[in-house]
Amino acid sequence: RQQLRAMLKASGGRPMHIMFPMVATIGELDRAREATFAEIAHLERHGHPVPSDLRLGVMVEVPSLLWELDALCARADFLSVGSNDLLQYLFAADRENKRVASRFDALSAPALRALKSVADAGARTGTPVSLCGEMGGKTLEALALAAMGYRSLSMSPASIGPVKAMLLSTHLGEVRDFLLPLIECADDREPLRDRLQAFAEEKGIPL
């Protein structure tokens, strides 16, 4: 609570966005929101400036939230998918452990179903959704994310040029029509990554 109070006080009356990490249940988010509003009331009582516009968001990185997305969107002003942690927890594989790091592929059907469910919930409720993590800066992965509806991707400066060039050369409607049926029915006997790669090459999409 002290850290939260210090953050709110430091706003100096300016607009502020706060994103809560590692939220596992709606109840946790409710308690975090209650604590935030209680701290705002405390600052106001003591004559301190409070944010003129406060937006409270959630980092979606704990898989349990995937089954509470509508309730989550009803409470959060924005969502940001932490793709590194979400997929690591989803597949029970530590990406830093070389013995199990290859256990999952971010472009496998289960991974993309999970990511698509967040994008769909945001579109359904009008809640802004972004994505941070390594996959946003990889051209093939960014192609899949854009086709599923993601419009805000975090990436390193070095990745901006290749991802931008790829998107400018892409008809996302065609990619969406190709990809979405695969997400729903594909299995890992024929890797989805390979099929998307072949499609991009056929369409002349620079990767």
Side-chain angles (χ1 to χ4, degrees), residues 112-180:
L112 293 183
R113 286 179 197 138
L115 295 168
K116 182 177 179 293
S117 69
V118 184
D120 287 349
R124 194 165 56 242
T125 61
T127 305
V129 177
S130 61
L131 180 138
C132 64
E134 295 175 2
M135 69 180 298
K138 299 177 180 179
T139 51
L140 191 62
E141 282 81 345
L143 178 64
L145 291 167
M148 292 189 298
Y150 285 89
R151 294 296 180 267
S152 180
L153 305 176
S154 174
M155 65 190 71
S156 68
S159 298
I160 294 174
V163 171
K164 182 177 180 180
M166 176 273 294
L167 291 173
L168 289 174
S169 303
T170 300
H171 188 295
L172 283 179
E174 290 183 348
V175 183
R176 186 182 304 112
D177 291 343
F178 173 79
L179 181 63
L180 297 193

Side-chain angles (χ1 to χ4, degrees), residues 31-53:
R31 290 191 291 275
R33 286 170 53 86
E34 290 168 3
T36 302
F37 296 134
E39 291 303 325
I40 288 176
H42 172 86
L43 291 173
E44 288 178 326
R45 285 196 304 270
H46 291 82
H48 296 291
V50 297
S52 58
D53 180 39

